[in-house]
Amino acid sequence: MGSKTVPAPAVAAARTLRVLVGRLRRKMMDATAVGDLTSAQASALARLVINEPTTASVLAGAEKVRPQSMAATVAALAKLGLVRREDDPEDGRRQLLFLTTEGRAYAQGARASRHEWLARTLAEGLSEDELAVVNEALVLLGRVVES
C-alpha cells in the first residue's frame, strides 16, 4: 500500500491549527476561571459533564495525565463537594465518579462564561468582514471534522 505525500500547505495548516486550538483552549480556561479551581480541576470537571459516570482512570486517559495526578485532582474536587464517588456495582475495586449538584452548576456556569468570553472577544477583535471569513472557515473545518 503506497503512501501519499501530504502537500506542504496542508502540513503547515495542520501545525498552525493544532497550536491555535491549544492556545485558544488555554486562554478560554484562564479567562473564565471561576473560584479556586486549577485548570486541571476545571478540565476534569468539564469532561465529567460529558462522560458521567466515569472512573478516575478513564478521566486520566482522556486528559492525558498520569492516574496519580488524576487521583489528586479528583480528591480535590471531592473535597470541594463538586464530585462524589460510588462503588462500581460491576467491579468492587473501582469507584465511579459523579457530579454533585454544586459540581454540575459550576460546570454549567463555567461553560456559559467561556462561550460569553469567546463571543465578546470575537466581536471586539474582528470586523464584520473578518467575522464572515471566520464563519466560512468554520464551515470548512466542520467538513474536515465530519470526514
Side-chain angles (χ1 to χ4, degrees):
M1 191 160 103
S3 65
K4 279 178 88 173
T5 302
V6 178
V11 171
R15 181 180 307 114
T16 301
L17 182 59
R18 182 182 47 79
V19 170
L20 286 174
V21 167
R23 289 176 58 199
L24 177 61
R25 183 175 187 270
R26 285 188 296 279
K27 270 188 110 66
M28 287 177 68
M29 294 300 287
D30 290 345
T32 60
V34 181
D36 296 327
L37 293 188
T38 66
S39 61
Q41 291 166 345
S43 184
L45 198 64
R47 194 167 297 275
L48 189 55
V49 168
I50 298 166
N51 298 316
E52 181 185 28
T54 192
T55 65
S57 295
V58 171
L59 276 178
E63 290 290 308
K64 301 192 182 358
V65 298
R66 294 178 309 150
Q68 298 87 341
S69 297
M70 185 54 68
T73 297
V74 168
L77 292 171
K79 186 175 180 180
L80 291 168
L82 301 175
V83 300
R84 64 182 167 78
R85 299 177 180 126
E86 290 184 15
D87 290 335
D88 185 337
E90 296 177 11
D91 184 347
R93 298 169 293 170
R94 293 189 319 180
Q95 288 191 321
L96 296 175
L97 302 173
F98 295 86
L99 289 169
T100 63
T101 302
E102 295 82 6
R104 190 168 311 286
Y106 178 92
Q108 289 170 344
R111 181 183 297 146
S113 293
R114 285 189 298 274
H115 178 80
E116 181 183 320
W117 174 85
L118 184 55
R120 184 178 58 254
T121 301
L122 287 169
E124 292 172 355
L126 301 176
S127 70
E128 269 188 50
D129 289 343
E130 290 169 327
L131 278 172
V133 171
V134 168
N135 282 313
E136 289 174 22
L138 292 172
V139 169
L140 297 175
L141 288 172
R143 283 188 10 215
V144 169
V145 170
E146 297 302 322
S147 65

